[in-house]
């Protein structure tokens, strides 16, 4: 049984001019100890998928249909309190904005110690020792001395590292990391990526890694889900997706993967823009930008289908 199983997840935003469907029947799973990368342009639905899983959709967004199962049990219909407990203890979250996660009034040491002591019975001195260890692992220099510092005393990049330590110190089964390394410089990025990989190997932690950065995915993920306009365009093993992309959109993304040293935003290379939620084209949502589109593409929406070693929502593989 996979640790996380998302089936036909549909998220809608009711608005004045009708209902906007931001996620449309998204299905995927994550095994224990697996890192699933989720990649796509901003607005594709990557972050929304993460937020829906942990019950943090911003109002008026709502799960309109579908199911989310975690460790065998449904979590898409949980009340706020049980969901909050799962979120702290079993599913760790690393979101883009560290200031929304850290409490400005408490030292970061206190926040780490309290988080660990909420989830495990450990003495103050043991918790302190572990907290310093986590700060060291995420690359905070002189961690022992910084233990008593407040969030505003850290730089933006360091705050992000503290958030990562805070998410990992409760030793969750699943980490949902949304652009965890974007604000960090290259050497720290590599350190965080290595840390996530160690956790999956040593503790069997599963990771959903949301990013627009194919370079980070290529170095970290086991499998990749490519999202486009609220749907999964392609999903499969990372090596296959990179070497043999089956969906023309993935092909565009993979045109060349930047190395960690030469970071460039390759996603801008595909001509045109992703359609707006209130102006989704009929048929394949990618057809206005697809150089390989044919008659069926404008009339009928493709579902994920077998395409070599991956699954792609594209009529070329029908
Ligand atoms: Fe392109 Fe058609 Fe495949 Fe869509 S279904 S990606 S338009 S070839």
């Amino acid at each position: 049984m996979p640790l996380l199983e998302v089936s036909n997840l549909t998220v809608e935003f009711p608005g004045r001019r009708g209902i906007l469907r931001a996620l449309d029947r998204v299905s995927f799973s994550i095994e224990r100890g697996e890192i699933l990368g989720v990649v796509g342009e901003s607005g594709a639905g990557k972050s929304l998928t993460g937020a829906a899983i942990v019950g943090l959709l911003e109002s008026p967004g709502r799960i309109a249909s579908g199911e989310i199962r975690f460790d065998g049990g449904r979590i898409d219909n949980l009340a706020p309190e049980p969901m909050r407990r799962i979120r702290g203890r079993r599913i760790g979250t690393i979101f883009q904005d560290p200031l929304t996660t850290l409490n400005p009034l408490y030292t970061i040491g206190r926040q780490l110690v309290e988080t660990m002591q909420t989830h495990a019975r450990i003495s103050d001195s043991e918790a302190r020792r572990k907290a310093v260890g986590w700060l060291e692992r995420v690359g905070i220099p002189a961690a022992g001395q910084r233990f008593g510092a407040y969030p505003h005393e850290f730089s933006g990049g360091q705050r992000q590292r503290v958030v990562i330590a805070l998410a990992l110190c409760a030793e969750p089964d699943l980490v949902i990391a949304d652009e965890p390394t974007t604000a960090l410089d290259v050497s720290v990025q590599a350190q965080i990526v290595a840390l996530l990989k160690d956790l999956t190997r040593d503790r069997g932690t599963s990771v959903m890694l949301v990013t627009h950065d194919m370079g980070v995915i290529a170095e970290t993920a086991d499998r990749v889900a490519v999202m486009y306009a609220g749907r999964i365009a392609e999903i499969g093993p990372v090596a296959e997706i990179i070497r043999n992309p089956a969906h023309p959109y993935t092909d565009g993304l993979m045109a060349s993967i930047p190395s960690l040293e030469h970071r460039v935003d390759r996603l801008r290379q595909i001509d045109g823009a992703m359609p707006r939620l209130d102006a989704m084209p009929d048929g394949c949502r990618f057809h206005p930008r697809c150089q390989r589109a044919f008659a069926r593409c404008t009339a009928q929406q493709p579902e994920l289908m077998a395409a070599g070693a991956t699954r792609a929502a594209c009529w070329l593989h029908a």
Side-chain angles (χ1 to χ4, degrees), residues 117-138:
Q117 288 184 330
T118 314
H119 302 306
R121 279 173 179 235
I122 46 174
S123 67
D124 289 354
S125 60
E126 171 73 354
R128 185 192 162 102
R129 195 183 57 75
K130 282 191 159 196
V132 172
W134 278 108
L135 291 174
E136 278 166 357
R137 288 178 86 177
V138 298

Side-chain angles (χ1 to χ4, degrees), residues 247-249 284 286-287 290 292-294 297 302 313-316:
H247 193 287
Y249 177 64
C284 171
F286 187 58
H287 86 254
C290 183
R292 302 183 66 186
F294 53 105
C297 306
C314 172
W315 290 126
L316 291 171

Side-chain angles (χ1 to χ4, degrees), residues 89-236:
R89 181 184 208 136
R90 305 210 53 203
I91 306 182
T93 53
I94 304 169
F95 289 128
Q96 279 165 49
D97 182 4
L99 290 178
T100 59
T101 311
L102 295 173
N103 186 330
L105 301 177
Y106 293 159
T107 67
I108 54 128
R110 177 168 171 192
Q111 295 183 54
L112 283 162
V113 164
E114 282 187 357
T115 301
M116 282 186 285
Q117 288 184 330
T118 314
H119 302 306
R121 279 173 179 235
I122 46 174
S123 67
D124 289 354
S125 60
E126 171 73 354
R128 185 192 162 102
R129 195 183 57 75
K130 282 191 159 196
V132 172
W134 278 108
L135 291 174
E136 278 166 357
R137 288 178 86 177
V138 298
I140 300 285
Q145 290 158 33
R146 306 301 306 278
F147 183 85
Y150 288 87
H152 73 265
E153 297 177 86
F154 291 82
S155 69
Q158 285 188 342
R159 272 200 294 267
Q160 180 66 349
R161 285 182 252 171
V162 172
V163 167
I164 293 169
L166 204 55
L168 301 182
C169 73
E171 308 202 9
D173 301 313
L174 171 68
V175 176
I176 296 185
D178 191 346
E179 303 280 2
T181 62
T182 306
L184 305 176
D185 65 45
V186 171
S187 64
V188 180
Q189 275 187 22
Q191 192 180 349
I192 299 296
V193 161
L195 177 61
L196 289 175
K197 278 165 109 169
D198 285 352
L199 282 170
T200 58
R201 199 190 50 225
D202 302 344
R203 290 199 63 249
T205 309
S206 307
V207 180
M208 175 175 157
L209 178 64
V210 174
T211 176
H212 69 281
D213 188 329
M214 255 330 284
V216 168
I217 296 258
E219 297 198 26
T220 324
D222 301 301
R223 283 189 307 133
V224 190
V226 179
M227 291 195 71
Y228 186 79
R231 308 197 79 206
I232 293 184
E234 184 169 1
I235 183 164

Side-chain angles (χ1 to χ4, degrees), residues 22-23 38-48 96 178-179 182 210-213 226-230 249 253 265-268 270 272-277 280 289:
L23 289 183
V38 180
V39 71
E41 289 162 282
S42 64
K46 319 183 290 292
S47 300
L48 211 53
Q96 279 165 49
D178 191 346
E179 303 280 2
T182 306
V210 174
T211 176
H212 69 281
D213 188 329
V226 179
M227 291 195 71
Y228 186 79
Y249 177 64
L253 290 188
D265 196 345
R266 309 297 307 190
L267 305 195
R268 301 231 174 82
I270 303 170
M274 208 164 50
R276 293 203 329 252
L277 287 182
M280 280 298 166
R289 296 169 81 183

